[in-house]
């Protein structure tokens, strides 16, 4: 059973397009996150959601918008994609601070 | 700015030896500390977490925390080639995970057969 899943696994798109990444967790956790790992492998928090409420938004451009239809899902929508958005995006969920990561979505913007 | 520092390596250790990975953090109020292992092309996998000063052991892994020195380490005993990976130190500044984790840039560990 997959605890935290993401789709798609790979995403190749052109500059200026809009795309979404989906995340689902079946752990019953209250908090979900989006992280970005850049080409230098540096992993950085983007968003945190607790019970469908945004808790923190770390200096992320407003082209990025998290959307949570329910506690088990946190999707990431990206408008007007730029070359610098190319990275691996990880979804994670946590209970009492211990976080578990999804498999990642590799985004390449051409 | 809250920072987590790690030596990027690579750290090369002979098979069977002890690998020692170190991490320092800037926010003295940090609550919880984590070590994740990441293989190339894979997602981070939780290895250990520690909340209190001292040592915490789990199998071949020992996490050590010294809040006064703002220092956390991971020891891997009887290192195996399968331990070769990037090890990420992560800090929860807020407690309970509300703000997400702040990660170091990772230490690349190579276990030489």
């Amino acid at each position: 059973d997959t605890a935290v899943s993401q789709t798609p696994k790979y995403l190749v798109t052109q500059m200026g397009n809009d795309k979404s990444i989906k995340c689902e967790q079946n752990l019953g956790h209250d908090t979900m996150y989006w992280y970005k790992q850049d080409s230098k492998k540096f992993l950085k928090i983007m968003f945190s959601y607790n019970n469908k409420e945004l808790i923190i938004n770390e200096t992320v451009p407003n082209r990025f918008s998290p959307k949570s239809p329910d506690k088990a899902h946190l999707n990431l929508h990206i408008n007007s994609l730029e070359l610098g958005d190319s990275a691996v995006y990880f979804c994670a969920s946590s209970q009492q601070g211990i976080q578990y990561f999804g498999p990642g979505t590799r985004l390449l913007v051409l | 700015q809250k920072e987590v520092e790690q030596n990027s390596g690579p750290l090369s250790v002979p098979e069977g030896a002890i690998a020692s990975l170190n991490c320092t953090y800037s926010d003295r109020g940090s609550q919880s500390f984590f070590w994740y292992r990441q293989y190339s092309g894979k997602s981070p996998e939780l290895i250990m977490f520690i909340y209190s000063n001292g040592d915490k052991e789990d199998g071949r892994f020992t996490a050590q925390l010294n809040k006064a020195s703002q220092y956390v380490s991971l020891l891997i005993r009887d290192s195996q080639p399968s331990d070769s990976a990037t090890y990420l130190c992560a800090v929860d500044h807020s407690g309970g995970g509300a703000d997400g984790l702040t990660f170091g840039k990772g230490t690349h560990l190579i276990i030489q057969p």
Side-chain angles (χ1 to χ4, degrees):
Chain A
D1 290 343
T2 303
V4 183
S5 59
Q6 294 179 229
T7 55
K9 190 172 182 179
Y10 299 98
L11 187 53
V12 181
T13 188
Q14 299 289 329
M15 278 176 51
N17 284 351
D18 302 338
K19 290 294 178 184
S20 292
I21 306 172
K22 295 184 177 181
C23 177
E24 177 181 1
Q25 56 97 1
N26 62 7
L27 298 167
H29 288 171
D30 289 331
T31 309
M32 297 182 71
Y33 312 82
W34 279 106
Y35 288 84
K36 178 181 180 180
Q37 189 167 44
D38 61 24
S39 57
K40 295 183 178 180
K41 308 301 183 186
F42 187 37
L43 192 59
K44 190 170 182 181
I45 182 73
M46 299 177 71
F47 300 104
S48 173
Y49 251 74
N50 181 287
N51 289 326
K52 298 173 64 177
E53 183 178 351
L54 180 65
I55 295 174
I56 189 169
N57 180 341
E58 282 283 327
T59 62
V60 174
N62 58 14
R63 297 183 296 104
F64 291 79
S65 54
K67 298 188 189 304
S68 180
D70 56 58
K71 196 173 86 167
H73 297 83
L74 180 64
N75 303 324
L76 182 64
H77 189 75
I78 315 169
N79 291 324
S80 303
L81 278 156
E82 299 178 356
L83 293 176
D85 298 332
S86 295
V88 181
Y89 293 84
F90 288 103
C91 177
S93 71
S94 79
Q95 193 77 2
Q96 297 180 338
I98 299 175
Q99 296 191 20
Y100 299 92
F101 285 79
T105 295
R106 283 156 181 75
L107 172 65
L108 178 60
V109 182
L110 302 175
Chain B
Q1 187 171 354
K2 298 168 182 173
E3 295 181 341
V4 177
E5 300 286 343
Q6 293 181 257
N7 189 325
S8 62
L11 174 65
S12 186
V13 174
E15 184 176 356
I18 296 174
S20 178
L21 304 163
N22 304 315
C23 171
T24 59
Y25 58 95
S26 62
D27 181 15
R28 186 170 289 279
S30 297
Q31 301 288 317
S32 311
F33 307 85
F34 303 84
W35 283 99
Y36 284 83
R37 177 175 64 197
Q38 188 174 25
Y39 293 113
S40 180
K42 301 295 185 181
S43 60
E45 173 192 8
L46 181 66
I47 298 295
M48 294 280 292
F49 60 89
I50 187 167
Y51 302 142
S52 304
N53 277 330
D55 295 359
K56 179 181 179 182
E57 187 174 320
D58 184 1
R60 296 187 296 113
F61 299 95
T62 299
Q64 300 175 317
L65 175 61
N66 183 327
K67 289 187 176 181
S69 300
Q70 295 173 236
Y71 176 93
V72 58
S73 65
L74 179 70
L75 301 177
I76 307 174
R77 289 181 299 281
D78 188 22
S79 296
Q80 302 296 311
S82 60
D83 294 326
S84 298
T86 296
Y87 287 80
L88 302 171
C89 175
V91 176
D92 178 1
H93 303 291
S94 61
D99 292 348
L101 298 176
T102 300
F103 281 85
K105 294 187 178 181
T107 297
H108 182 43
L109 175 66
I110 299 171
I111 306 300
Q112 296 179 323

